[in-house]
Amino acid sequence: MATSKHVRIGKGISWMALIVGAALGLAAGLVYTWEIDPVIERNTAPWQLSAAAREDYVVAVALSYAANQDLLLAVDRLRAAGPNRNIWEMVAEIACDRVKTGKTITNSDIRVVRALEQLYAPQGASGCADGLYPTPAPMTFATPEPVMSPTPTLIPPPSKTPTLPPPTPITAEDVRPTSTPAAGAYVLTRLQSFCDSDQSGVIEVRVYDRRGEGVPGVPVTVTWSGSERDSFFTGLKAEREAGYADFIMEAGRAYTVSLPGFVSSAPVVEAVPCTAQDGRQATTSYWVNFQERAN
Amino acid sequence: MSRRTLGSLLVGILLGLSTGVFLGWGPFPVEYKNSALSALAPHYQEEYTVMVAEGYRYDPEVNAALERLRPLGKENTIAYVIDLTERYISQSNIRAIPIMVALVEAIIGADNLPPVMQLYRPTLTATSPAPLAP
């Protein structure tokens, strides 16, 4: 009896059909839950973000770091966005991509690139955005180095009291002729903003020699938006000083000003809105002075 | 196909289907890898908002800050920022409160700042002293 019962149960099931059915059912179940009606996407972590969303996230991390300078917090946040990546390279790549795709139009865009660079550059990472938008130099006057100038010495008027022989006046032969400055011979001596509704958004460039006299004919190059540039010469405005040249900025852009052979970081100025003393709205203007370096 | 085979097949399909649904919704749900910021977990969305608010201190452009918040997909971004700030105040989130209040103030203006946020303004405006009684 026991044998016949066992046989009857075995005869009631087709194991092959059961396995095939289970496989089909499992596949159908997974297709339904993964494709047709997946779990609603609610608890996404930063590492699951798309490239564009991750860029937004990393930009926010960089801006936050630029404000609070909390590196550990920034590292934690970046690791959440790229747990299996070199986070500094990831930041450098994003900065590079933003420059390549032209996201450097507004002041905000430029601040973003700067913030990203502030984050990755000290950690040894590098990218194509390196140094493109350096942080502007602080608006302070650089103390110019004292230069000897051949001022004519007046012969003292005759007096009744005996005097020592007058000092030998400096003659023209003692003054070395001004030569064309060598490469890298200029230093930035002044970078200061001002707001004037009559002179809105002007970069006033002045180039001096080591004696403090204006130098005409020096080519000045202004660059903006990464690749846009314009060159002009000092001394073309007869009504102004010999070493003077100016450039009108477009509001909302950042510009770098450089001279040939000026090897330091070119000063960056931003055409940001300002309110002039007369209460009118204007765009910030700048005084940018260069002076020939005294050896 | 015999009834025995058909029955076994149906039983197998039912077993497999229930197993597949259990696995697909339970231990092995679909894993998204190209998600938008709007799909971030609420905790991360709030952290992102605080980062943007903090970034406003470095990049003081209100429109840029709002533009950065837009991908969160909130129906009303400004209302969302205000709600989150009020929640942080109610939770005494000391670190985030002044950061968020500064952004709210920049968005809606100091005059429109809700009273509960006035205390946390980063820059309190000086008020003229009350006139002395004669």
Side-chain angles (χ1 to χ4, degrees):
Chain A
M1 287 294 284
T3 306
S4 63
K5 192 178 182 182
H6 178 74
V7 168
R8 199 164 55 235
I9 291 168
K11 280 184 177 176
I13 297 173
S14 167
W15 291 104
M16 182 60 73
L18 189 69
I19 291 168
V20 169
L24 286 173
L26 186 67
L30 291 177
V31 165
Y32 182 75
T33 55
W34 285 354
E35 298 292 335
I36 299 166
D37 186 16
V39 174
I40 295 171
E41 191 183 6
R42 275 202 194 105
N43 291 310
T44 301
W47 66 269
Q48 293 171 290
L49 293 173
S50 66
R54 185 181 296 124
E55 179 181 321
D56 289 340
Y57 184 87
V58 171
V59 163
V61 173
L63 288 171
S64 171
Y65 171 72
N68 65 23
Q69 297 293 306
D70 188 339
L71 187 60
L72 290 178
L73 186 61
V75 168
D76 284 345
R77 287 166 168 172
L78 289 173
R79 282 208 179 119
N84 300 317
R85 298 186 60 185
N86 181 325
I87 53 175
W88 309 121
E89 284 177 8
M90 177 175 73
V91 178
E93 281 171 20
I94 286 173
C96 187
D97 287 345
R98 289 183 75 89
V99 170
K100 279 182 180 171
T101 53
K103 290 181 184 169
T104 52
I105 304 297
T106 65
N107 288 332
S108 276
D109 293 338
I110 289 164
R111 287 191 197 106
V112 164
V113 176
R114 280 188 193 139
L116 291 166
E117 192 178 354
Q118 274 183 37
L119 195 50
Y120 72 74
Q123 310 306 325
S126 62
C128 72
D130 292 359
L132 284 180
Y133 298 101
T135 305
M139 301 294 185
T140 52
F141 287 96
T143 310
E145 294 180 34
V147 288
M148 295 292 290
S149 58
T151 50
T153 308
L154 293 172
I155 299 167
S159 78
K160 291 176 183 175
T161 51
T163 53
L164 292 170
T168 311
I170 299 170
T171 58
E173 288 74 28
D174 293 326
V175 180
R176 282 181 292 172
T178 306
S179 59
T180 306
Y186 286 107
V187 290
L188 181 70
T189 55
R190 187 185 196 189
L191 176 59
Q192 188 178 6
S193 62
F194 64 98
C195 189
D196 186 342
S197 55
D198 294 329
Q199 287 181 289
S200 183
V202 180
I203 304 174
E204 293 194 352
V205 181
R206 289 176 177 82
V207 181
Y208 299 104
D209 63 13
R210 64 188 67 180
R211 295 174 300 165
E213 292 178 2
V215 183
V218 177
V220 181
T221 302
V222 174
T223 55
W224 67 96
S225 298
S227 57
E228 299 288 318
R229 64 172 53 219
D230 190 10
S231 290
F232 46 94
F233 291 90
T234 58
L236 295 181
K237 294 206 168 180
E239 72 278 12
R240 304 295 292 257
E241 303 147 70
Y244 175 87
D246 57 28
F247 178 83
I248 307 292
M249 297 185 286
E250 193 177 317
R253 292 182 185 274
Y255 297 82
T256 57
V257 185
S258 63
L259 303 182
F262 181 72
V263 289
S264 306
S265 292
V268 180
V269 296
E270 291 179 329
V272 291
C274 64
T275 306
Q277 282 188 339
D278 57 8
R280 287 192 288 171
Q281 287 296 309
T283 302
T284 308
S285 298
Y286 294 88
W287 289 304
V288 184
N289 292 7
F290 297 92
Q291 186 160 22
E292 192 183 356
R293 191 169 52 192
N295 292 325
Chain B
M1 187 182 287
S2 69
R3 286 182 66 185
R4 186 176 70 114
T5 307
L6 190 63
S8 299
L9 189 67
L10 285 174
V11 169
I13 285 174
L14 282 176
L15 280 174
L17 196 63
S18 54
T19 308
V21 168
F22 168 73
L23 293 175
W25 279 346
F28 304 109
V30 64
E31 213 166 60
Y32 294 92
K33 283 187 178 165
N34 285 304
S35 306
L37 280 170
S38 56
L40 275 177
H43 158 70
Y44 286 115
Q45 288 200 15
E46 289 165 14
E47 188 177 25
Y48 177 80
T49 307
V50 173
M51 286 193 287
V52 169
E54 200 158 35
Y56 171 73
R57 283 160 53 188
Y58 178 75
D59 176 27
E61 303 267 356
V62 180
N63 288 334
L66 286 172
E67 201 60 39
R68 288 181 191 118
L69 291 173
R70 191 151 298 147
L72 288 176
K74 303 296 175 190
E75 228 170 78
N76 184 332
T77 305
I78 296 173
Y80 160 72
V81 172
I82 293 171
D83 288 347
L84 184 61
T85 307
E86 286 177 344
R87 186 146 59 79
Y88 281 154
I89 290 172
S90 69
Q91 294 169 349
S92 300
N93 188 332
I94 301 299
R95 187 185 162 275
I97 291 170
I99 297 167
M100 294 296 294
V101 169
L103 181 60
V104 173
E105 183 179 344
I107 294 171
I108 64 175
D111 295 338
N112 302 319
L113 209 59
V116 70
M117 296 185 196
Q118 294 283 353
L119 280 176
Y120 301 97
R121 287 177 64 195
T123 51
L124 287 172
T125 50
T127 53
S128 55
L132 293 171

